[in-house]
Amino acid sequence: MIADQIRGHQLILEMLHRGLSRSRLPHALLFVGNAGIGKKRVARHLAQCLFCQQTPADQLVCCNECNSCKQMAAGTHPDLISVECPPDKAILPLSLIIGKDEQRGRKGVCYEMSLRPMLGDRRIAIIDDADKMNAESANALLKTLEEPAANYLMILIASELDAILPTIRSRCQSIRFGRLSDEDVAALLVQQQLAESEEQAIQVARLAEGSLSTASQLLDESLEELRVNITRQLSKKPFQPQVFAQSIMQAIDDIGGETATQRKTANWIIKFCVDFYHQAIQHAANYGSGSHSKQIEQFVAGFSDETADRIEKLGNLLDRLILTEEQINQNATIALCIESLSEDLRSIQMK
Ligand SMILES: [Zn+2]
């Protein structure tokens, strides 16, 4: 893995580098921060630098060419033990920590970490979703953490610090990861070829709240289509509330799923609307990035009011959306929320 694929965590990389150069890297680290911001990437990079056969072990660098680096890139390094919660499970299975019933103590992270290194001089475990361990798993892991072998490193990754047992926490050095900037998310979307164009990457990054995984979800075809459709509807003059409400309800039906999924879709829709009006305010007030789409420009130009009145109107539209967001989160009927929202969006614009 190449360090320049890690974005937004320069201070953490420097801190890890300092720890290495002073031989003060603890035997257990706990990376904490929102999902999708690159914690695992940093963990894997650290592991690769420690494993690399061509670069000094006291520096956070790797060659990307030695056998060890190649095995890291291929995901086959025999001294890296990496576990995570399967997508269909809410709890990290105990079997990943101490093996299944019939293999108890002969498989899993704890056993693997008791073995000698095979390729280099250390073994490293990355435990993603460590906040999804139950008490039994955490207690099993605790034993390994309490009796650290030399040159063994355990990296726990979690979104919620509070979900980690205090006994585990106290044995790890916690490192808190901040959210990514919109620019970093956009750059990563382009770099990893997740977005089709830079423009799409920038638009999606703005909604992703600093998380690359949220941004990837947004690039899902049906959500992307929905976002484009909503932008088109909102920019129409005059705004057509019935058409707007109908097309939203149709989209929610098309995406389908249980009520919880529908609520999630509805939340995305509100986010798309908020983003649209937010951009419009920025454009109307002449601040922000300055590069807004034609749709935004035309929408703002369509107001006959003075600038201050326009901004006030747009602010009222935003307030109305936030009210809908609250209603949806409080389990109100989605169809009713959307209908009354549509009518109000029209009347605010007509004033
Ligand atoms: Zn190497």
Side-chain angles (χ1 to χ4, degrees):
M1 191 180 307
I2 304 161
D4 67 10
Q5 287 183 357
I6 297 172
R7 299 187 71 105
H9 304 305
Q10 206 50 42
L11 286 176
I12 288 173
L13 293 177
E14 281 167 22
M15 192 171 80
L16 291 170
H17 183 83
R18 272 201 306 278
L20 282 179
S21 61
R22 292 180 194 154
S23 307
R24 277 205 202 135
L25 197 68
H27 70 275
L29 296 169
L30 172 57
F31 289 180
V32 186
N34 291 348
I37 56 174
K39 301 184 294 297
K40 195 168 187 181
R41 205 169 263 269
V42 172
R44 289 184 57 84
H45 178 64
L46 173 61
Q48 183 170 343
C49 294
L50 287 168
F51 284 143
C52 179
Q53 295 157 329
Q54 298 287 340
T55 54
D58 63 353
Q59 288 176 31
L60 195 68
V61 285
C62 53
C63 73
N64 287 312
E65 280 167 10
C66 69
N67 181 21
S68 207
C69 282
K70 281 183 180 152
Q71 297 232 31
M72 276 302 289
T76 54
H77 200 292
D79 292 323
L80 178 74
I81 300 105
S82 189
V83 296
E84 63 184 13
C85 190
D88 59 336
K89 296 256 184 337
I91 290 173
L92 189 85
L94 178 65
S95 60
L96 293 175
I97 306 294
I98 55 170
K100 287 184 181 143
D101 277 344
E102 62 281 12
Q103 301 168 313
R104 196 126 293 178
R106 284 175 287 128
K107 286 270 178 195
V109 174
C110 297
Y111 169 72
E112 293 280 347
M113 287 301 269
S114 73
L115 299 177
R116 271 172 207 275
M118 294 183 200
L119 196 61
D121 60 355
R122 70 181 80 221
R123 279 172 87 76
I124 298 174
I126 297 177
I127 303 169
D128 200 356
D129 305 312
D131 44 356
K132 292 182 180 167
M133 282 190 294
N134 62 15
E136 205 178 357
S137 295
N139 283 322
L141 193 67
L142 199 55
K143 289 208 183 77
T144 304
L145 284 172
E146 280 170 339
E147 299 154 12
N151 263 8
Y152 281 42
L153 173 66
M154 190 98 80
I155 307 172
L156 279 67
I157 300 177
S159 307
E160 306 280 342
L161 185 61
D162 291 346
I164 304 274
L165 278 187
T167 43
I168 296 257
R169 256 192 272 169
S170 65
R171 281 170 180 81
C172 302
Q173 183 186 329
S174 298
I175 298 181
R176 194 167 269 287
F177 282 62
R179 54 163 280 173
L180 295 172
S181 67
D182 293 356
E183 292 75 27
D184 284 335
V185 173
L188 284 167
L189 288 172
V190 172
Q191 194 176 50
Q192 295 180 21
Q193 298 178 345
L194 294 167
E196 281 169 13
S197 64
E198 208 176 325
E199 194 195 345
Q200 187 192 40
I202 291 168
Q203 282 178 348
V204 166
R206 224 178 23 238
L207 292 159
E209 292 168 351
S211 161
L212 187 63
S213 56
T214 304
S216 314
Q217 280 174 38
L218 276 163
L219 286 165
D220 172 87
E221 218 172 293
S222 45
L223 272 186
E224 173 67 2
E225 210 175 286
L226 186 54
R227 187 176 64 79
V228 172
N229 182 24
I230 283 174
T231 309
R232 194 171 48 229
Q233 301 266 358
L234 290 179
S235 55
K236 257 189 200 153
K237 295 265 173 163
F239 176 71
Q240 294 171 310
Q242 276 112 354
V243 181
F244 179 71
Q246 269 167 16
S247 67
I248 286 182
M249 289 319 293
Q250 185 64 49
I252 291 177
D253 269 356
D254 290 348
I255 292 177
E258 310 262 308
T259 319
T261 315
Q262 296 196 346
R263 249 171 238 294
K264 216 170 164 186
T265 310
N267 272 322
W268 279 123
I269 290 168
I270 303 301
K271 265 198 174 108
F272 297 152
C273 299
V274 167
D275 181 56
F276 179 85
Y277 289 132
H278 195 237
Q279 283 188 75
I281 289 186
Q282 283 194 332
H283 182 67
N286 241 338
Y287 65 77
S289 63
S291 59
H292 295 107
S293 67
K294 274 256 148 27
Q295 270 168 325
I296 297 281
E297 285 173 20
Q298 281 167 4
F299 174 71
V300 173
F303 284 94
S304 51
D305 322 78
E306 297 291 320
T307 304
D309 295 334
R310 273 185 203 174
I311 293 174
E312 195 190 335
K313 248 181 208 179
L314 290 165
N316 291 341
L317 291 166
L318 268 178
D319 285 347
R320 183 61 187 83
L321 282 163
I322 289 159
L323 176 68
T324 307
E325 191 173 27
E326 285 169 5
Q327 290 169 336
I328 289 173
N329 288 335
Q330 285 162 7
N331 294 340
T333 311
I334 298 173
L336 291 180
C337 293
I338 299 294
E339 268 169 38
S340 71
L341 169 72
S342 308
E343 276 308 326
D344 288 354
L345 291 183
R346 187 189 65 92
S347 59
I348 293 170
Q349 292 184 62
M350 297 294 285
K351 265 180 199 157

